[in-house]
Amino acid sequence: MIHVSRLTKFYGDYPAVQDVTFDVGAGQVVGFLGPNGAGKSTTMRILAGYLTATSGSATIAGHDVVWDSLEVRRRIGYMPESCPLYHEMRITEYLHFRAGIKGLYGAKRRQRIDYVLKRCWLEDVRRQIIGTLSKGYRQRVGLADALLAAPPVLILDEPTAGLDPTQIRSTRELIRELGREHTILLSTHILSEVEMTCDHAIIIHRGRVAAQGTLSELKDRASAGAGLVAAFDGQIDDTALASLEGVTAVQKESVDGIVRVRLKSDDVASLTPRLCNLAAAKGWKVREIRPERPTLEDLFVQITGRENA
Ligand SMILES: Nc1ncnc2c1ncn2[C@@H]1O[C@H](COP(=O)(O)OP(=O)(O)OP(=O)(O)O)[C@@H](O)[C@H]1O
Ligand SMILES: [Mg+2]
C-alpha cells in the first residue's frame, strides 16, 4: 500500500533522510520508530506531499506522491506532529471546513463529522473553541481530521505525544481498532507503544533504516547472542559452567548467598537441559533457569547505542 524506494532528503547539505526503502502492506499497522531527529517526520511529510524528496520515490496505493499528489491525498489521512488547527474556530466548524476541502458535502459530511467526533471522544466539547482546548484534545481534533474522509491509509506522526496516561491508553486502543479498517504508519520513539499497537516496525536511525520486520523477527534479531539466566542457592563452580558445551561467555554475581549467572550461547534451547544435568550432577540448588527474553528495546539500544558510543 505504501511503497518507499531509496528516499533521500537533504536540508541544505544536511542529510535528514538517506536511502530509505520500505513497504507497508494493505491492512498493516507499522510503527516507525527512531530517536529524536532520526528523520521520521521528514519521511512522513514527504509521503503526505508536504515536502519533496531530494531523490528516490514513494507511492501510495500505486500513486506517486509527487506526480499524482491529488490522488495520494484522497487516500491518506495525515496527522502532523503539531496539528495546524485554526484556533478561533469551534471544533465542529473546523471539521466542516476540513470536510469541504476533502470533498465531503451534505448528509455524508454531517454523518462523517458525527462519526469522527464520536470516535475521537470529542462529542462533549464539539462546540468548544479550538484555541481553548488542552493539548490532548487538540491531538484528538487532529486525529478526527485525519479520519474525516475515511481514507484507507493513515499517517500519524507521534499521535500520543503530549497526552496524559489515560489519553495515551485510549488513543492506543483507538489506533488498534482503526488498524482493522486502515493501513497505518505511525511514528513514535516509545517502544512499548509499538509493542502495543503495531504488528510491524521500521527502526530509523540517523536518517537510515537500521532494521525492519515483524515484531517477532525484530526480537529474534535482538536475541542473536542471547542466553540463559540462572540462579543458585550457595556457591557453584563456574569453571564447570564455562566448559559446558555451547557456552560462549559466563557472567557471575553473588548477592546474599544467591549466585546469578548469565550464560551466552548461540543455541539456548539445547543448553537448558545440559545446564540442568550439570546442576543435578554437582548437587547445586537451582532457584531458576530461564532464557533471556530479548525485547524490542534491546534491539533499539543495540542499534542506536552502537553508533553513539
Ligand atoms: N526544515 C528543516 N531545515 C533543516 N533541518 C531540518 C528541517 N527539518 C528537520 N531538520 C533536521 O532533520 C533531521 C530529521 O528531522 P525530523 O523532524 O524528520 O526527525 P524526527 O525523527 O521526526 O524527530 P522527532 O522524534 O524529534 O520528531 C533533524 O536533525 C532535524 O534537525
Ligand atoms: Mg518528528
Side-chain angles (χ1 to χ4, degrees):
M1 197 67 154
I2 304 176
H3 177 67
V4 175
S5 175
R6 311 207 62 179
L7 205 67
T8 298
K9 174 71 186 176
F10 276 84
Y11 290 114
D13 55 8
Y14 179 76
V17 171
Q18 291 183 75
D19 213 11
V20 164
T21 297
F22 63 83
D23 280 297
V24 177
Q28 288 181 352
V29 180
V30 177
F32 199 33
L33 192 62
N36 291 133
K40 304 181 294 292
S41 298
T42 301
T43 308
M44 290 179 138
R45 276 188 212 125
I46 294 171
L47 290 178
Y50 285 84
L51 205 62
T52 51
T54 309
S55 65
S57 65
T59 60
I60 290 179
H63 298 279
D64 188 282
V65 296
V66 178
W67 304 113
D68 224 355
S69 105
L70 274 180
E71 288 301 320
V72 167
R73 281 173 204 224
R74 275 193 196 115
R75 285 167 178 81
I76 62 169
Y78 170 54
M79 179 183 169
E81 214 165 17
S82 48
C83 304
L85 305 168
Y86 291 92
H87 289 197
E88 65 284 3
M89 281 187 177
R90 295 182 193 280
I91 294 178
T92 39
E93 281 170 347
Y94 176 73
L95 292 175
H96 271 282
F97 163 69
R98 295 288 299 163
I101 291 176
K102 295 175 190 214
L104 292 169
Y105 298 100
K108 174 88 179 154
R109 181 193 291 193
R110 283 192 298 279
Q111 185 204 330
R112 283 304 298 175
I113 290 176
D114 283 344
Y115 171 81
V116 298
L117 285 171
K118 192 162 170 224
R119 210 69 210 263
C120 301
W121 308 284
L122 287 166
E123 284 166 306
D124 296 342
V125 290
R126 60 194 298 158
R127 304 217 46 78
Q128 198 166 328
I129 290 178
I130 289 175
T132 68
L133 291 172
S134 68
K135 171 146 175 68
Y137 276 86
R138 281 185 211 187
Q139 295 274 93
R140 293 183 198 186
V141 178
L143 190 56
D145 178 7
L147 287 174
L148 258 183
V153 178
L154 293 175
I155 295 177
L156 311 175
D157 198 351
E158 301 206 32
T160 59
L163 302 186
D164 69 41
T166 329
Q167 290 176 336
I168 287 180
R169 185 171 293 186
S170 37
T171 305
R172 285 177 186 162
E173 274 167 25
L174 175 62
I175 291 169
R176 264 204 305 267
E177 278 176 34
L178 292 173
R180 295 196 205 119
E181 302 150 30
H182 304 260
T183 302
I184 302 179
L185 179 66
L186 111 133
S187 78
T188 178
H189 47 259
I190 305 166
L191 291 138
S192 56
E193 187 151 301
V194 172
E195 289 185 313
M196 276 181 242
T197 52
C198 305
D199 36 50
H200 288 70
I202 299 162
I203 301 180
I204 178 169
H205 181 48
R206 297 193 175 168
R208 292 182 185 274
V209 173
Q212 58 179 316
T214 63
L215 292 198
S216 60
E217 280 166 4
L218 292 171
K219 284 183 195 168
D220 283 350
R221 209 179 128 174
S223 69
L228 281 182
V229 177
F232 306 94
D233 279 330
Q235 277 312 306
I236 58 154
D237 167 14
D238 48 316
T239 50
L241 280 180
S243 51
L244 257 184
E245 189 191 333
V247 172
T248 53
V250 181
Q251 281 173 350
K252 180 179 147 192
E253 59 174 25
S254 302
V255 181
D256 296 336
I258 298 169
V259 181
R260 290 188 179 280
V261 290
R262 172 171 279 130
L263 302 177
K264 293 280 174 200
S265 172
D266 296 329
D267 184 4
V268 173
S270 66
L271 182 61
T272 311
R274 279 202 293 277
L275 178 60
C276 291
N277 290 342
L278 178 71
K282 296 269 185 186
W284 296 339
K285 292 189 186 123
V286 179
R287 277 195 154 229
E288 74 166 321
I289 296 179
R290 61 178 167 85
E292 268 185 301
R293 291 235 177 277
T295 60
L296 200 54
E297 185 170 348
D298 293 325
L299 179 64
F300 190 72
V301 171
Q302 278 171 28
I303 289 170
T304 56
R306 194 175 51 215
E307 287 176 35
N308 287 338

